[in-house]
Amino acid sequence: RTMSSDDASSRGRAAVPLLARVRAPHAVRDVGNESASRALRESILQHLQSMCTTRLGSMPIRPDYGLPSVSEMVHSSPDAIDAIARAMTHTIETYEPRLTNVTVRHVPSETASLVIRFEVTAHLRGNDGDVPLRFSTSINASRRVTVE
């Protein structure tokens, strides 16, 4: 396959998934634009939410997409929190190509809440260099995962 000029001009720029481009074509024309940057961040946030709420092994075409069952891990392993962080890191690095330098860190709770919190930091690939991003992820007692 030969590379078109569009392919060549988009190299190095943050890749935006096809579905996001179809839903909001105006938001991806100029990634330097503040509203386009916001739309790109929202697209990444939605993808992270999807990845974190998909159970590992539930997608036949990509069996390593998603996270293991958090409730099973927490009850079966003393280092479950580290295993969850490693699984998140692997999934994000593998399936979110717009991000580099992904780090997932457990954020200990200051109260006795039944919520496990993680901080996800990464860099968004862009034309003008990498842009740092930070997301918060939490898993509550009813196994609900949220990414903000």
Side-chain angles (χ1 to χ4, degrees):
R1 174 183 182 292
T2 58
M3 190 180 301
S4 72
S5 61
D6 287 340
D7 290 340
S9 68
S10 66
R11 287 175 41 203
R13 182 174 39 181
V16 179
L18 177 61
L19 191 54
R21 291 191 307 252
V22 170
R23 285 185 179 151
H26 61 280
V28 296
R29 286 189 189 128
D30 179 14
V31 289
N33 177 317
E34 185 178 327
S35 65
S37 295
R38 202 171 320 119
L40 183 58
R41 180 180 163 81
E42 183 63 30
S43 171
I44 292 170
L45 181 66
Q46 288 174 356
H47 189 217
L48 293 177
Q49 179 74 28
S50 175
M51 283 191 285
C52 290
T53 57
T54 300
R55 188 170 182 170
L56 187 67
S58 66
M59 295 185 67
I61 195 162
R62 292 287 184 202
D64 65 332
Y65 183 89
L67 296 179
S69 172
V70 175
S71 61
E72 291 173 13
M73 289 181 76
V74 168
H75 295 295
S76 66
S77 173
D79 16 313
I81 290 176
D82 291 336
I84 294 167
R86 284 191 305 274
M88 275 185 182
T89 302
H90 169 76
T91 301
I92 294 168
E93 287 176 340
T94 304
Y95 292 106
E96 183 47 83
R98 297 171 289 184
L99 299 180
T100 61
N101 301 326
V102 176
T103 304
V104 178
R105 180 181 71 82
H106 174 245
V107 179
S109 179
E110 295 178 7
T111 64
S113 69
L114 297 175
V115 176
I116 302 171
R117 294 187 189 337
F118 295 95
E119 176 185 75
V120 178
T121 57
H123 288 96
L124 172 64
R125 295 179 191 188
N127 286 338
D128 300 327
D130 292 350
V131 177
L133 293 178
R134 178 172 296 163
F135 298 97
S136 298
T137 304
S138 61
I139 305 166
N140 67 19
S142 62
R143 298 177 291 238
R144 180 166 183 203
V145 179
T146 57
V147 182
E148 306 174 308

